[in-house]
Amino acid sequence: MRFGRTFEEFEVGATYKHWPGKTVTEYDDHLFCLLTMNHHPLHLDANFAQKTTEPARNVVVGNYIYSLLLGMSVPDVSGKAIFNLEVESLKHVAPTFHGDTIYGETTVLDKRESRSKDDRGIVHVQTKGYNQDGTLVCIFRRKVMVPKQSYLDARGGEQPGRPVLQEPPA
C-alpha cells in the first residue's frame, strides 16, 4: 500500500481522491472543540444553536474539517514529506453538520526542485473537501517538501528507519 509519494511520482494536474470518507459525529466535533479550547456555543450547545443561529443546529468547527481533510491526504500526498512548508489559503465554503460525511481530493498545482538541496522538491497542492451531497465545504492550498527517490535510497529505502525483525532462536 502506498504511503506518500516521492517528488518524481507527482504530476502537475493529477488529482488524488482520498478514500474512505469520514462521517463526522457530535462526539468528534465536541472532543476537537474541547481539546483545542474552542468553547463557542455554536459548536457545543444545541439549545443555543437552535434558538439563536440561522442553521438552528450545531455547526462542526471548521478547523476540525480542515484537520480531517489534511489527515485524509497524508497517504496520497504527504506520507513521505520532509516538511509541511506552508498553508497558503484556507476557505470554509459551506457549513458541516453532525452526521455529514466528508470526502476529499487533492490536485497537484505545481512542483519544483529544491534550490538548496538536490535530493528533494516542493509540491504545491490544493485539497477540496465535500459532503455526501457533493457540496464543497472546505478548500485549501499548501506546499510540501517531499523527498526524491535518492533521498530515500540514502536513508534505507521505502520505509526508512524501520527495524529488521529479530527472530528468537529456535
Side-chain angles (χ1 to χ4, degrees), residues 52-70:
T52 67
T53 70
E54 191 170 311
R57 56 185 170 151
N58 290 125
V59 174
V60 176
V61 65
N63 284 339
Y64 174 67
I65 300 304
Y66 161 72
S67 297
L68 182 62
L69 289 163
L70 185 67

Side-chain angles (χ1 to χ4, degrees), residues 2-27:
R2 171 185 305 279
F3 193 74
R5 288 179 162 77
T6 61
F7 181 75
E8 296 89 346
E9 294 175 299
F10 284 97
E11 290 184 34
V12 174
T15 297
Y16 312 117
K17 295 185 179 199
H18 313 308
W19 185 256
K22 167 76 172 89
T23 302
V24 178
T25 66
E26 181 178 34
Y27 175 81

Side-chain angles (χ1 to χ4, degrees), residues 4 10 12 26 28-29 36 42 44 48 59 73-74 76 94 106 110 118-119 141 144 150 157 169:
F10 284 97
V12 174
E26 181 178 34
D28 298 331
D29 183 31
T36 58
L42 176 63
L44 297 172
F48 169 87
V59 174
S73 74
V74 168
D76 294 313
T106 298
D110 193 21
D118 65 359
D119 63 351
R141 291 181 176 201
V144 182
S150 61

Side-chain angles (χ1 to χ4, degrees), residues 15-132:
T15 297
Y16 312 117
K17 295 185 179 199
H18 313 308
W19 185 256
K22 167 76 172 89
T23 302
V24 178
T25 66
E26 181 178 34
Y27 175 81
D28 298 331
D29 183 31
H30 287 193
L31 181 60
F32 189 88
C33 286
L34 295 172
L35 286 171
T36 58
M37 297 180 66
N38 181 346
H39 303 135
H40 194 290
L42 176 63
H43 308 303
L44 297 172
D45 184 333
N47 183 59
F48 169 87
Q50 181 186 26
K51 292 181 178 177
T52 67
T53 70
E54 191 170 311
R57 56 185 170 151
N58 290 125
V59 174
V60 176
V61 65
N63 284 339
Y64 174 67
I65 300 304
Y66 161 72
S67 297
L68 182 62
L69 289 163
L70 185 67
M72 284 180 180
S73 74
V74 168
D76 294 313
V77 177
S78 58
K80 288 183 174 58
I82 298 169
F83 298 114
N84 281 301
L85 298 174
E86 173 184 357
V87 176
E88 180 181 284
S89 63
L90 168 61
K91 184 174 183 180
H92 299 287
V93 180
T96 300
F97 301 103
H98 302 150
D100 282 350
T101 301
I102 302 300
Y103 298 92
E105 62 185 52
T106 298
T107 300
V108 180
L109 302 174
D110 193 21
K111 71 181 224 179
R112 69 168 178 83
E113 294 188 10
S114 170
R115 293 183 187 106
S116 60
K117 299 196 178 194
D118 65 359
D119 63 351
R120 59 197 72 185
I122 297 170
V123 180
H124 187 198
V125 297
Q126 176 176 269
T127 300
K128 293 180 179 179
Y130 48 96
N131 69 16
Q132 67 281 352

